[in-house]
Amino acid sequence: MQEFMPGVSLDHLHAALNGLLPSDIRVREISPAVPEFHARFSVRSKIYHYKIYNDTVMDPFQRYYAYHSAYKLNPEAMKEATKYFIGRHDFSAFANASRNDRAPNPVKNIFSFDVIEKIEVEGSGFMYRQVRNMAALLIQIGKEAIPPGIVPMILASRDRKELAKYSLSAPPHGLCLIAVNYIEKHMQLPLGCPPKSLGRSHTISKCKLPCY
């Protein structure tokens, strides 16, 4: 295990990183990690949101962050359909189609799936475009174009062409990765490590601007 020099602070590294990054990206916290930690393989689950703006006229302030459905959606039908995704399934039918990807392991475990003003799904992992493909199918179900019971049939097919009969992939701008949950023991701080950095804070004790 790496030993840390006493008195070492991560604040300088934190400030340097934010000084190099573009203004729309910021590092909010830096923390030491144990050797077992891996940004990918230590992941326990991920939570994604897919936001849908369901109204006749799109809110211009949300045009970059939500999918616009002018057609009135039935949230109860969408909620019913999400129940079929819960559990461990082979999601080959929801893989990316444009590059004909063959994911090494299309079997994923979905822990929760809900529709509350947005689509929220938590799972052990997701293939490229899997969440967008599931969202697209739910939108079609919300439009009542197809019944909720179509989901297990598509899952059982393990064929991306079967999903394409009912829906295309939803656009990316409604999708957002909300949280990544890691294995707890991999998140423990190493012994003798410096404290995590939350960024420097400066206070102004006296206003130097003239007051009129």
Side-chain angles (χ1 to χ4, degrees):
M1 180 179 292
Q2 180 182 356
E3 295 184 0
F4 295 91
M5 296 177 60
V8 171
S9 172
L10 296 177
D11 289 342
H12 296 291
L13 174 62
H14 197 165
L17 283 173
N18 282 331
L20 293 172
L21 289 169
S23 59
D24 58 344
I25 301 176
R26 278 295 172 267
V27 176
R28 299 181 61 184
E29 179 181 331
I30 293 181
S31 175
V34 295
E36 293 81 10
F37 175 81
H38 191 286
R40 178 182 175 189
F41 299 116
S42 296
V43 172
R44 180 170 53 84
S45 70
K46 295 180 180 179
I47 300 176
Y48 279 95
H49 283 179
Y50 193 89
K51 190 171 183 180
I52 302 170
Y53 190 82
N54 192 197
D55 203 348
T56 306
V57 180
M58 180 62 180
D59 180 352
F61 294 104
Q62 298 192 48
R63 68 190 187 280
Y64 295 132
Y65 312 107
Y67 169 77
H68 179 214
S69 175
Y71 193 100
K72 186 64 176 178
L73 300 177
N74 181 347
E76 295 306 318
M78 297 170 72
K79 288 180 181 180
E80 183 181 346
T82 61
K83 297 176 183 178
Y84 295 108
F85 287 110
I86 302 296
R88 191 174 182 85
H89 302 285
D90 185 325
F91 284 91
S92 295
F94 291 85
N96 178 36
S98 61
R99 296 185 305 186
N100 195 25
D101 290 347
R102 298 300 299 174
N105 183 14
V107 177
K108 308 296 180 183
N109 195 2
I110 302 299
F111 304 129
S112 63
F113 209 152
D114 207 350
V115 180
I116 308 174
E117 295 184 351
K118 60 185 173 294
I119 294 170
E120 178 178 293
V121 57
E122 179 181 5
S124 60
F126 300 93
M127 295 179 291
Y128 180 59
R129 290 193 180 179
Q130 179 184 335
V131 176
R132 288 166 55 189
N133 288 332
M134 292 190 296
L137 184 64
L138 288 176
I139 290 170
Q140 291 300 104
I141 292 172
K143 292 179 179 179
E144 299 181 341
I146 49 178
I150 203 77
V151 174
M153 186 196 75
I154 296 174
L155 283 170
S157 74
R158 301 181 182 179
D159 187 352
R160 180 62 179 82
K161 294 178 181 178
E162 188 65 27
L163 175 65
K165 296 177 182 178
Y166 305 98
S167 67
L168 301 175
S169 182
H173 61 273
L175 183 67
C176 183
L177 175 62
I178 297 299
V180 179
N181 300 314
Y182 290 98
I183 299 171
E184 291 184 6
K185 67 178 182 179
H186 290 183
M187 296 299 291
Q188 296 176 355
L189 295 178
L191 294 175
C193 70
K196 61 184 178 182
S197 172
L198 299 175
R200 298 175 179 175
S201 60
H202 300 279
T203 58
I204 300 176
S205 59
K206 184 177 181 181
C207 180
K208 298 182 180 180
L209 296 176
C211 298
Y212 298 97

